[in-house]
Amino acid sequence: MITILCEINSKILKICIFTFFLLAITIPNYALALSNTTLDRIVSQIELLYPPLEGYVIEVEGTGLTLDLKRGMAVKKGDRLKLIRYGRELFHPVTKKKVGRKEMDLGEVEILEVRKDFSNARSLNPTALPRKGDGVRSPFQKLTFLVAPPKIKTREKIDTERLHFNLEKKLNQHPRFEVPAFDFGLWMADEKLSETSALTIKNLRRLKRKVNVDLILIPKVHTIRGKIILNYRLISAVDGSLQKQAKVLSDDDLPTVAARRKRGTQTSFDPKKDGFKFINKEKFPYEVVDFDVGDLDGDGKNEYVLIDHYRILVYSLKKGKLRQIQQIRTERGINRLLGVDVGDINGNGRDEIFVTNWKGDKLESFALERQVGKKRLKYVWKDVNLYFRIIRPFGQKPTLLSQSPGFATPFLGPIKKVVFKNRRYIQGPKLNTPDIYGTHFILYGLTQANLGGNKAKETVVLDNNYHLRVYSPNGKVIVKSDVYYGHDPRLIEVGVVDEELGNLTTGGGQSVGREDAVRYKGRLQFVKNGDRRFLVLPKNYLAGSGLLRNLVMVNNSGLVILGINRDGFEKVLESTKQKGFLAAFRVVPRKGNAGADVHILRTERSFISNAVSGGMSDFSTYFWKTN
């Protein structure tokens, strides 16, 4: 589901102008449904169910304390609360307004008994000397929610996907609530579970192994006497018990398909059948990391360059079958190849091979080129401390992007184009990406294309949550999907190594260890097939919770093709799930608008850490002909 994000003023909604997608229109504020009162009521009701607890010490007898907490409050025997000594009041130096009080942490107290008008407790810190007027407070409690797909039992055309997204958005906006990037509905479908069977103790335990969650919100929209009612149940993810059930009268602010179309916001894709024919599959008894396609000798025929962790393998392809032509080895266990990109950057009519290589604690990337009349590949650029990625929107001339690694971070500085000048490769001008405070673009999971018909190019990325985003040149978010793509399990950990601390790979330099490495993001490819334009992107289905960054599991994957038309994106195809994660793909249009060959590389491997052995890959080829 794609959402166009817009600016709001006090009276009208100013739709961001994206000439290719939309015409500007105005609607009332509430129609955006990101700040609607129906969902606000639900979140408020849940907040009241799990309130933070605060009180005071009203009597002290040794380590025994009497607190002003009583029956009916969210306190019970055995609870532990923080003991706080309040200090002087704090005032803002400019506005002179009171902003709070200084606090001293005195440890914890344990509730021994809850009575009608007070509670008995004891101090757990033998060195603390509690006194009257000290405060007690429950520790900050973060609650994690999953939202089930809403059930719609009304004739009103409620936008189910948008309602689902809005519920998750509202919960995430609360400081104590969190919704992880886990598709509960997809999990139920994969496990062949109904809403009832999913909430049994046995299946909740299975769910717990996938994602750390406290509560499950189950929404249902129905009609009573002509009124739209949002009914919800809040279920414990621990034991399946009902925590709360309530009905909320809608203020006519639930997102509808009609409202979505009225404001020009595209929030879903209508799948359309398109010709897709399987040709062949090749299996490899090891993990193939990446591949790309290009004409290495300038004869008009493509070669296929595959890499594993230390080899570059060159193949020809006939009727979907690969035939190895050449192999180049690097030092096994020392080099670790991360990616391969093929394109003619020096302009001599023969595509070069650009390999991103991680060697030890730094990058030593390189470029290869086939010599005239020879099959031998020669190094034409060596020991390059850069990442490489080639983009070629809609079959245009390839652009080689590069980016530097940092001292303690995998990526540092802007993305720059690589040009061939004075018989050598050099970093040229910066890629014209939007200047957005707090946003640092990396070259993986990024491409650019002229979508609106003007000279400016929009920047298209997979963000850190694997949502698809489109930015205008001035930095406005034009498109943001609610669908998760990518979820690649691989990590990029290039950084400095310290003998005592290990590998420093953080984005902010505050923590040590591979858990803060940057997750890899695959290619996004704009392609023209027939007389239509498309965006092709990977879809890896997350099986793990993603909470441990070095333990992300992807059991299944597919390919998504989005058509581009005057109204925006539409889903043309989402392939059926295949086993393994989608490591790479390429769409290669045939000459004369005769369709395209689609090549998909999938890998099965151990997902413990960033394993480099024990994997298996397959290379599948399909023919795609548009209607």
Side-chain angles (χ1 to χ4, degrees):
M1 187 167 69
I2 294 289
T3 303
I4 309 297
L5 300 184
C6 308
E7 297 180 4
I8 306 174
N9 64 18
S10 60
K11 293 184 177 179
I12 61 172
L13 176 67
K14 292 184 177 178
I15 301 297
C16 307
I17 297 176
F18 183 28
T19 57
F20 183 70
F21 288 92
L22 306 171
L23 293 175
I25 59 175
T26 60
I27 61 172
N29 279 343
Y30 67 81
L32 190 59
L34 289 180
S35 179
N36 68 42
T37 55
T38 302
L39 303 189
D40 287 337
R41 289 194 198 110
I42 293 176
V43 174
S44 296
Q45 290 175 4
I46 296 173
E47 181 183 32
L48 291 174
L49 193 62
Y50 304 98
L53 188 68
E54 287 187 305
Y56 289 90
V57 176
I58 57 177
E59 191 66 52
V60 179
E61 294 182 9
T63 59
L65 308 175
T66 303
L67 311 178
D68 66 345
L69 306 177
K70 54 189 177 182
R71 288 178 187 170
M73 300 178 71
V75 61
K76 63 182 182 299
K77 180 181 177 180
D79 283 352
R80 293 190 175 188
L81 308 176
K82 289 185 176 181
L83 182 62
I84 301 164
R85 175 72 44 78
Y86 293 114
R88 64 182 178 84
E89 294 181 338
L90 300 175
F91 295 89
H92 193 282
V94 178
T95 65
K96 308 303 180 183
K97 291 183 179 181
K98 180 181 175 181
V99 295
R101 287 186 292 179
K102 289 186 70 69
E103 296 180 356
M104 179 187 300
D105 189 352
L106 300 179
E108 291 185 326
V109 301
E110 181 183 14
I111 302 297
L112 302 177
E113 182 184 20
V114 181
R115 294 193 177 186
K116 180 180 178 181
D117 296 312
F118 62 89
S119 293
N120 292 323
R122 66 185 179 98
S123 174
L124 299 178
N125 183 359
T127 63
L129 298 175
R131 62 192 185 201
K132 292 181 182 181
D134 286 344
V136 289
R137 180 187 299 152
S138 59
F140 185 84
Q141 183 183 15
K142 192 87 170 180
L143 295 174
T144 306
F145 294 77
L146 291 181
V147 179
K151 288 188 174 181
I152 309 299
K153 301 293 184 180
T154 176
R155 292 182 179 180
E156 293 291 329
K157 295 183 178 180
I158 302 298
D159 191 335
T160 307
E161 292 183 353
R162 183 64 186 171
L163 176 58
H164 191 188
F165 171 75
N166 285 354
L167 281 166
E168 291 184 332
K169 183 85 171 179
K170 278 295 178 186
L171 290 167
N172 264 327
Q173 286 174 345
H174 193 284
R176 292 174 49 235
F177 298 163
E178 181 180 19
V179 180
F182 181 87
D183 194 324
F184 181 59
L186 179 62
W187 176 77
M188 287 194 296
D190 287 343
E191 300 294 333
K192 297 179 173 59
L193 299 174
S194 66
E195 190 177 277
T196 302
S197 61
L199 301 178
T200 62
I201 295 294
K202 176 183 177 181
N203 288 322
L204 286 175
R205 288 174 180 170
R206 292 169 62 191
L207 177 65
K208 195 74 172 179
R209 291 194 289 268
K210 297 287 186 181
V211 60
N212 186 23
V213 62
D214 302 305
L215 297 160
I216 300 172
L217 181 69
I218 303 176
K220 177 182 176 182
V221 179
H222 57 104
T223 304
I224 299 179
R225 296 178 181 177
K227 299 292 185 180
I228 302 295
I229 304 295
L230 180 53
N231 185 353
Y232 71 90
R233 289 185 295 145
L234 194 63
I235 307 295
S236 168
V238 177
D239 56 15
S241 61
L242 179 65
Q243 302 296 297
K244 185 176 180 63
Q245 183 168 351
K247 297 177 181 178
V248 179
L249 178 65
S250 169
D251 287 341
D252 296 326
D253 54 3
L254 296 183
T256 63
V257 176
R260 180 188 73 206
R261 290 174 180 168
K262 180 180 179 182
R263 67 177 180 267
T265 301
Q266 185 183 3
T267 55
S268 66
F269 301 125
D270 295 321
K272 294 183 178 180
K273 292 185 178 180
D274 240 309
F276 223 71
K277 179 182 177 181
F278 172 74
I279 297 178
N280 192 51
K281 178 188 289 187
E282 298 275 345
K283 289 188 175 293
F284 295 86
Y286 50 86
E287 179 180 348
V288 180
V289 174
D290 194 12
F291 81 97
D292 204 358
V293 183
D295 183 1
L296 301 184
D297 52 15
D299 64 354
K301 298 179 181 179
N302 283 326
E303 283 76 37
Y304 292 74
V305 183
L306 284 68
I307 60 170
D308 64 9
H309 288 288
Y310 72 103
R311 293 178 297 177
I312 301 97
L313 308 161
V314 181
Y315 294 85
S316 63
L317 184 75
K318 187 174 183 180
K319 295 183 178 180
K321 294 186 178 181
L322 293 171
R323 183 175 67 87
Q324 185 172 319
I325 299 174
Q326 192 172 5
Q327 178 182 136
I328 293 180
R329 295 173 179 262
T330 64
E331 293 181 87
R332 186 172 187 174
I334 297 177
N335 293 278
R336 186 173 176 188
L337 308 185
L338 301 180
V340 62
D341 293 87
V342 178
D344 183 12
I345 303 303
N346 59 20
N348 64 4
R350 303 188 306 276
D351 289 348
E352 303 100 277
I353 302 171
F354 296 90
V355 179
T356 303
N357 177 41
W358 174 6
K359 186 173 183 179
D361 61 345
K362 61 180 180 178
L363 290 176
E364 285 193 11
S365 302
F366 53 87
L368 302 164
E369 186 179 42
R370 182 169 288 179
Q371 302 303 295
V372 178
K374 299 180 181 179
K375 289 186 177 182
R376 184 173 65 89
L377 292 170
K378 178 182 177 182
Y379 285 92
V380 292
W381 198 13
K382 297 180 69 174
D383 300 331
V384 187
N385 189 33
L386 296 172
Y387 298 94
F388 293 136
R389 179 99 305 170
I390 285 179
I391 60 173
R392 45 174 72 80
F394 304 120
Q396 295 178 3
K397 182 179 178 181
T399 300
L400 177 60
L401 306 180
S402 65
Q403 195 167 16
S404 300
F407 176 70
T409 60
F411 295 91
L412 182 68
I415 301 170
K416 294 184 178 181
K417 299 178 183 179
V418 171
V419 296
F420 189 76
K421 189 174 182 180
N422 297 327
R423 302 179 66 180
R424 65 190 184 99
Y425 299 94
I426 60 172
Q427 275 193 300
K430 292 190 294 186
L431 187 69
N432 186 24
T433 54
D435 186 12
I436 305 171
Y437 178 76
T439 299
H440 181 66
F441 290 102
I442 66 172
L443 78 176
Y444 293 125
L446 177 145
T447 188
Q448 288 188 333
N450 183 348
L451 299 177
N454 50 23
K455 294 182 179 181
K457 291 184 178 179
E458 284 73 35
T459 300
V460 183
V461 300
L462 288 178
D463 65 18
N464 289 338
N465 292 319
Y466 292 98
H467 290 111
L468 177 67
R469 290 179 181 246
V470 178
Y471 291 91
S472 68
N474 62 2
K476 289 185 180 296
V477 180
I478 300 170
V479 176
K480 180 180 181 294
S481 72
D482 300 333
V483 176
Y484 298 100
Y485 300 99
H487 283 302
D488 200 297
R490 294 171 290 185
L491 300 177
I492 299 174
E493 305 170 281
V494 174
V496 66
V497 171
D498 185 282
E499 292 182 358
E500 296 181 357
L501 297 180
N503 194 13
L504 301 180
T505 58
T506 74
Q510 296 180 357
S511 60
V512 177
R514 65 188 301 151
E515 66 271 10
D516 289 320
V518 173
R519 193 159 296 286
Y520 183 84
K521 298 170 187 174
R523 289 181 177 87
L524 307 179
Q525 184 181 354
F526 283 108
V527 61
K528 188 174 182 181
N529 189 357
D531 58 355
R532 294 188 60 189
R533 300 192 300 173
F534 302 90
L535 172 62
V536 187
L537 62 166
K539 181 69 179 289
N540 285 315
Y541 297 92
L542 186 65
S545 67
L547 298 178
L548 296 176
R549 300 195 65 182
N550 59 339
L551 187 57
V552 170
M553 301 180 186
V554 176
N555 290 336
N556 301 289
S557 61
L559 196 70
V560 176
I561 299 178
L562 306 181
I564 304 174
N565 55 37
R566 292 184 60 186
D567 299 321
F569 289 137
E570 63 173 352
K571 184 188 291 184
V572 172
L573 174 78
E574 182 170 345
S575 64
T576 56
K577 294 181 184 178
Q578 301 291 318
K579 196 172 183 180
F581 71 89
L582 199 152
F585 74 90
R586 273 295 308 276
V587 180
V588 183
R590 294 185 179 181
K591 294 180 179 179
N593 289 334
D597 293 308
V598 181
H599 309 289
I600 300 175
L601 174 67
R602 287 188 178 88
T603 293
E604 297 178 57
R605 73 170 189 193
S606 168
F607 294 99
I608 304 299
S609 186
N610 205 10
V612 297
S613 61
M616 299 179 64
S617 297
D618 62 66
F619 181 90
S620 301
T621 299
Y622 302 82
F623 174 65
W624 173 30
K625 176 69 174 179
T626 59
N627 294 328

